[in-house]
Amino acid sequence: MKLKFNLLSLVILITFSNCQNDNHHSDLPHDSSFYIDYRSLNGLSDGIAVIELDPEAPNFGHISSKLELGVGVLPHHLYYNQNANKLFTTALGGNYLYEIKTEKDKNGQPKLVSATPLDTGENTVGENLFFTNDGRYFMTFMGGAGGPKDGSIGVFNANNNQLIKTIKAPVQTNPNQFIMYPHGISVNEEKGLMMVTSTIHPDLTTGKGNTCTLLDLNTYELKETYLVADSQTDMSSPVEVLLLRGKFPQYALATTMLGGDIWIAPYNAITKKYDAFSKIFDGSTQGLGWALEMYIDDNSRLYVSFADPGKVLVFDISNLPQLKLLKTLTADKGAHHMVFFKTKKGKEVVAVQNNLLDIPNLNSGTISVIEIETGKTLGTIDLRTKYGMLPESIEGTNGPSNYMHH
C-alpha cells in the first residue's frame, strides 16, 4: 500500500525512504482509511464515506468525508479499474453505475469529491464489475430490462465508460443455456472464459436461481449452464463465483446464498470448459447459512463470509479439491464484504462489513475488525447507532484491499 506523509513525518520519510511500504514498523504511517458504500436509515441520501478502521487509531470509527448520491440510490459494490486509478460503485437504484472522483486533502487523507452517473442503457439493478486487461469491463445487472425472469451483462469500454454491448440469453428461449438474475462474475482471461451466477430476482420474491453460466470472453457466446444445487428444485441462489487463475489450482468456486454452501468445479483442458459443480463445503453442518463473499490471499487462504450467524471461515486451498478449514472468525449477523490491512502496531486484521440488503437478522450495520492470527475482535463500529446508516460494501482508499476477490 502507498503510505501517506505529512510534515511531521518528514524525518521518518528521510530515514526510512527505502521502507515506505513496510507497515511492520510501528512508527511509520499506515493506511487504515477505507471507502464504504452506505444506505441511510433516516430517509436521507445514500452515498459513500471515508472511515477510519484501525482500532489503534484515536479516531477509530470516524467518518472524515462523505459523498451523497441520492435518496434510494443504494450504492452496492465498490471497485477499482485495472490500473487502480479510477473508482466506481454499482448501485441497485439511481443510475446503477457511477464513477467516483477522489482526491487527497491537505494532510494527504482521502477525500470524496463527486460522482458521475454512467449510461447503462436498458440494464437495471447494478451488481458486480470485472475489469480486463484489454480495455473492457463487464457488469452484471440482476434486473436486466425489468422482466420477471430477466438479467443481463453489460460490456463497457474502460477508456470512456461507453456501453459496447448488452449480453442477454433468456431462459424462456433456451432453458439449458441462459442468463437470469446475474450477480457474481469472474473472468479467466488466459482461458478466455467468463462465468456469472444466477441469484435471485431483485424484489427477492419473484424468482430464484440455482445455476452458473459460462461464456466465451470474446465472442460472448454461452458455453454451458451448470446446476449449482442439490437438485433442480433446490433454489440455492449462487451469489458469487471465482475462477481461480494464475498460480492457483484451476477450479471454479461458487457460494450459494440460500444454500449456505461452497461449490467447486474443475477446469477441463480437453473440453476447455469446467466440469460439473459439486458441493465442497456444507454450511449447515457448521450451523452456517447465507454464504456470500470469497477472498483469496497470497498464501492460498480462502476467506468466505457467512451472513448467518455472522462468521468468516478461513480455508487452505493449496490442495484443491480438498478444502481444509483453518479457522473460524466471529463477526456480526450479515457478515459480507471484507478488507485486509495491518494496524499501526503491525497486527494483520480483516475488517468485515456486516449487512446484507437490510434483511432482518442479516443487518447488524456494524464493521468488525478482527485479528486474523488470534481471531480476537479488536474493535467494532456500530454505524446504525452512530451514523444512522448501514454499510453496503467496503474498499481500500489506495487501491484494492485484497489479493483476489472475483
Side-chain angles (χ1 to χ4, degrees):
M1 294 182 178
K2 297 179 180 177
L3 298 177
K4 314 178 191 75
F5 295 93
N6 53 34
L7 292 176
L8 295 177
S9 305
L10 184 57
V11 175
I12 297 174
L13 173 60
I14 295 172
T15 304
F16 297 100
S17 60
N18 293 324
C19 303
Q20 292 184 12
N21 293 319
D22 184 2
N23 284 338
H24 290 284
H25 198 288
S26 60
D27 293 330
L28 289 178
H30 61 290
D31 292 321
S32 54
S33 292
F34 290 84
Y35 296 122
I36 56 168
D37 277 335
Y38 69 85
R39 72 168 66 199
S40 171
L41 293 175
N42 303 316
L44 303 176
S45 288
D46 305 324
I48 307 172
V50 177
I51 189 168
E52 171 62 52
L53 291 187
D54 188 349
E56 297 166 1
N59 58 339
F60 175 58
H62 174 69
I63 287 179
S64 57
S65 178
K66 282 176 67 177
L67 177 64
E68 295 183 348
L69 296 180
V71 176
V73 170
L74 298 176
H76 199 50
H77 288 288
L78 288 157
Y79 290 94
Y80 282 97
N81 67 347
Q82 195 72 7
N83 297 321
N85 58 6
K86 293 181 181 179
L87 180 69
F88 297 80
T89 187
T90 65
L92 304 182
N95 287 85
Y96 307 115
L97 179 61
Y98 299 81
E99 183 175 347
I100 309 302
K101 182 181 179 182
T102 66
E103 61 184 29
K104 302 287 186 179
D105 66 16
K106 61 182 180 181
N107 296 317
Q109 297 300 307
K111 180 180 178 181
L112 293 155
V113 178
S114 62
T116 301
L118 304 177
D119 185 4
T120 63
E122 67 176 5
N123 305 297
T124 65
V125 189
E127 287 289 349
N128 288 7
L129 294 177
F130 196 105
F131 289 82
T132 54
N133 288 305
D134 58 6
R136 292 177 293 171
Y137 64 89
F138 298 83
M139 181 172 177
T140 51
F141 293 92
M142 204 158 68
K149 292 183 179 295
D150 219 319
S152 55
I153 304 169
V155 187
F156 292 81
N157 182 321
N159 295 316
N160 57 20
N161 293 322
Q162 295 297 305
L163 180 65
I164 301 171
K165 181 178 178 61
T166 295
I167 306 172
K168 296 190 290 185
V171 65
Q172 301 93 321
T173 302
N174 185 346
N176 295 314
Q177 289 188 359
F178 60 88
I179 297 168
M180 183 175 67
Y181 316 141
H183 180 288
I185 182 171
S186 191
V187 170
N188 187 320
E189 290 186 74
E190 181 182 351
K191 292 179 169 53
L193 297 174
M194 169 172 57
M195 190 178 286
V196 297
T197 63
S198 177
T199 307
I200 194 169
H201 188 277
D203 66 12
L204 307 183
T205 59
T206 295
K208 303 178 183 69
N210 61 6
T211 60
C212 286
T213 293
L214 186 69
L215 297 92
D216 187 293
L217 183 61
N218 299 305
T219 67
Y220 310 136
E221 294 179 0
L222 275 64
K223 298 175 75 69
E224 188 159 347
T225 294
Y226 302 86
L227 181 68
V228 188
D230 292 331
S231 69
Q232 293 288 348
T233 57
D234 172 27
M235 307 316 291
S236 60
S237 295
V239 60
E240 298 295 353
V241 62
L242 176 59
L243 301 185
L244 293 174
R245 47 201 182 266
K247 68 180 183 180
F248 297 104
Q250 303 296 287
Y251 290 85
L253 297 172
T255 51
T256 54
M257 186 172 73
L258 300 183
D261 306 316
I262 305 172
W263 293 70
I264 189 168
Y267 178 71
N268 188 319
I270 297 175
T271 64
K272 296 185 178 179
K273 298 189 297 185
Y274 292 86
D275 291 338
F277 275 87
S278 59
K279 188 185 297 185
I280 194 172
F281 180 82
D282 187 335
S284 65
T285 64
Q286 305 283 333
L288 302 170
W290 295 77
L292 297 178
E293 298 290 332
M294 293 180 284
Y295 296 80
I296 301 230
D297 70 13
D298 197 24
N299 297 314
S300 295
R301 291 179 295 185
L302 168 70
Y303 295 74
V304 182
S305 56
F306 289 81
D308 185 19
K311 305 282 187 180
V312 173
L313 271 59
V314 186
F315 299 92
D316 180 2
I317 61 165
S318 59
N319 293 308
L320 289 178
Q322 295 180 359
L323 190 64
K324 181 181 179 181
L325 178 61
L326 298 177
K327 62 180 65 179
T328 298
L329 308 176
T330 298
D332 286 337
K333 283 185 174 293
H336 199 173
H337 299 93
M338 300 170 235
V339 290
F340 301 82
F341 66 103
K342 291 179 182 176
T343 68
K344 186 177 181 180
K345 294 181 180 178
K347 295 178 181 177
E348 292 190 350
V349 298
V350 56
V352 186
Q353 165 255 329
N354 304 302
N355 172 54
L356 175 63
L357 301 174
D358 198 17
I359 296 174
N361 275 333
L362 302 176
N363 59 350
S364 295
T366 60
I367 297 176
S368 306
V369 184
I370 305 166
E371 186 176 14
I372 295 173
E373 181 179 356
T374 65
K376 180 182 179 181
T377 298
L378 303 182
T380 300
I381 305 166
D382 187 344
L383 282 87
R384 175 190 293 276
T385 301
K386 190 171 184 178
Y387 296 109
M389 64 173 65
L390 297 181
E392 292 289 315
S393 65
I394 186 169
E395 184 55 282
T397 53
N398 279 311
S401 54
N402 55 78
Y403 186 79
M404 183 185 291
H405 187 193
H406 301 141

